[in-house]
Amino acid sequence: MAGRESGRIKDAIQKRILDEDSRKRRQKKALEALEQDNFHEDPHADLVMSKKAPKFQEDNKNTSRKRKTRSAEYFKQRFRKNFLQLVEEDLNYNSNGPNYSTAQAPPSCYPERHFCAVCGFPSTYTCIPCGARYCSTKCLGTHLDTRCMKWTA
């Protein structure tokens, strides 16, 4: 009787294994894509409700119309800046003093911490083809189905 072979090991043999430079390039590309996707204008920010739309809130106290004032939270959301804009503003404002670009810290005396690429919890395992970290078999399944290099071009 032949022994059963793990499907994960069989798939790992067929996949190509990347060197450290390729992994870093891929990681940098993924971070740039996240930065592009992360900040965008709210598509519903300028949405104006129609006067003909039904109003489901009842205001029994005061039926007179009040002018709606915008809170500070509205302006915080509307004029939000992305990370690169904040760094550039800090550099222009504090050009000779300490700023984000000139900040330095000594290397940590503790070992580097690794986090799961799927859920963000501390991880102990590494994907063989792409080097991404995962913490459990559930996260491994999610990674292999959606995030592993076998699906990227």
Side-chain angles (χ1 to χ4, degrees):
M1 181 173 172
R4 290 180 34 174
E5 185 176 317
S6 171
R8 193 178 108 205
I9 294 173
K10 187 170 46 173
D11 288 343
I13 294 169
Q14 295 172 353
K15 295 178 187 172
R16 63 185 175 130
I17 298 174
L18 297 178
D19 60 341
E20 194 62 32
D21 290 334
S22 298
R23 287 181 181 179
K24 286 183 180 180
R25 281 194 304 271
R26 182 179 184 272
Q27 185 179 27
K28 183 178 178 184
K29 187 177 176 183
L31 286 174
E32 288 173 356
L34 280 174
E35 181 65 31
Q36 292 294 327
D37 290 346
N38 198 17
F39 180 77
H40 63 280
E41 297 296 326
D42 182 14
H44 305 293
D46 298 326
L47 186 66
V48 179
M49 293 297 291
S50 171
K51 291 182 180 179
K52 296 178 182 178
K55 295 179 181 165
F56 297 108
Q57 298 175 349
E58 292 184 25
D59 189 14
N60 295 335
K61 297 177 192 172
N62 192 359
T63 57
S64 64
R65 292 184 173 217
K66 287 185 180 179
R67 185 174 179 179
K68 196 171 191 178
T69 58
R70 294 188 172 141
S71 66
E73 193 63 34
Y74 168 81
F75 292 104
K76 285 181 190 175
Q77 292 296 326
R78 180 161 171 128
F79 301 110
R80 190 172 50 186
K81 298 176 184 173
N82 66 16
F83 180 70
L84 292 176
Q85 290 171 330
L86 291 171
V87 169
E88 184 178 329
E89 183 179 291
D90 185 43
L91 183 63
N92 292 337
Y93 183 70
N94 296 326
S95 59
N96 57 355
N99 56 36
Y100 183 82
S101 301
T102 60
Q104 293 180 354
S108 176
C109 58
Y110 298 106
E112 184 180 357
R113 294 172 60 185
H114 301 287
F115 297 100
C116 178
V118 178
C119 67
F121 286 129
S123 67
T124 53
Y125 310 109
T126 305
C127 177
I128 294 170
C130 67
R133 295 288 191 148
Y134 61 92
C135 64
S136 64
T137 54
K138 185 176 180 183
C139 288
L140 173 64
T142 303
H143 171 73
L144 291 176
D145 290 343
T146 59
R147 295 174 170 84
C148 195
M149 288 192 68
K150 66 179 180 181
W151 296 111
T152 58

